Amino acid sequence: MSSVRLYSWNVFSRRAAGVTDSPARAAGHVAVELAEAPAGAVGSVRRVTLSSAGHARYVDLGEVARATREDDGGVHWEVV
């Protein structure tokens, strides 16, 4: 398995997603996308690694943070 730490991020209602080597950058992408999303929208940061089976895909190692757009426009973060 890869020794590089990778983090996927996505905001489901915006169909926005990506992968970075920084959890802070992943959270920043989620925050930017949630700023344009409707109340109740959810974003997620997950730890991932490259597949060791030779496939060009990521293996999900679990969620590390989840964010929800609040009714007042704020963002509530939960570290998992």
Side-chain angles (χ1 to χ4, degrees), residues 2-66:
S2 171
S3 63
V4 176
R5 292 184 180 261
L6 298 172
Y7 300 87
S8 69
W9 63 270
N10 60 49
V11 176
F12 308 102
S13 65
R14 304 259 310 152
R15 295 185 186 185
V19 176
T20 179
D21 63 349
S22 166
R25 272 195 298 273
H29 288 297
V30 169
V32 165
E33 291 296 331
L34 284 177
E36 300 295 323
V42 176
S44 178
V45 175
R46 304 184 74 79
R47 177 89 200 299
V48 297
T49 191
L50 291 171
S51 171
S52 63
H55 304 294
R57 69 171 63 163
Y58 296 103
V59 176
D60 186 346
L61 300 177
E63 188 172 54
V64 296
R66 175 175 288 263

